[in-house]
Amino acid sequence: RALGPRDLAFALQKPVGFDLDNIDLDVCRSRSIIVIPATGVNDLSVAEYVIAAAMSLLRGAYAATASVRGGEWPRQSCIGREIAGKRLGLVGFGGIAREAAQRARALGMSVSAHDPFVDAGDPDVLKVPLSDSTILRPEGRRIARIVGSSVA
């Protein structure tokens, strides 16, 4: 016989949004369905994307896309900068940030992170008090002012 929703004993969720925001937990509970978030399942993928994006931005490759599509080879604009010796700044130091930090160090980068929930004894974590003057927002120009050679 074919199995239906009433035969489902539990559900595993790959993170698609934040937390369990795309699953109706009340309905699951009413049907005795156990929902288990798959926390951390995509940490490595996202960390690799962070490093790849940083490399792409440093090299200027993304900005040259239209020129390459147009048949040009803008060699000078793609020389860019090397990632070794740069500092990776992370806001938050959870699973994804720790994976990104590990890969950044392997490429010769130094790492700094701010996370109020991580022990101050962690050598990579900067303890910066949260206030109106220190809050970081995802605004490229503001982040770029933090370190003059930032890629934002």
Side-chain angles (χ1 to χ4, degrees), residues 40-129:
V41 74
N42 64 349
D43 288 1
L44 179 57
S45 297
V46 176
E48 287 180 353
Y49 175 78
V50 167
I51 298 301
M55 293 174 113
S56 177
L57 288 169
L58 282 167
R59 288 287 177 189
Y62 180 76
T65 301
S67 298
V68 172
R69 281 190 181 144
E72 299 174 37
W73 184 246
R75 183 181 181 124
Q76 291 297 70
S77 66
C78 290
I79 290 175
R81 298 172 284 171
E82 294 178 349
I83 202 164
K86 300 291 186 273
R87 175 176 302 275
L88 178 64
L90 300 164
V91 179
F93 205 55
I96 293 169
R98 288 178 188 275
E99 290 287 347
Q102 180 182 357
R103 277 140 192 83
R105 281 191 216 96
L107 291 168
M109 297 181 78
S110 57
V111 175
S112 294
H114 168 69
D115 192 326
F117 303 105
V118 175
D119 179 27
D122 191 313
D124 288 324
V125 176
L126 302 172
K127 284 301 191 180
V128 179

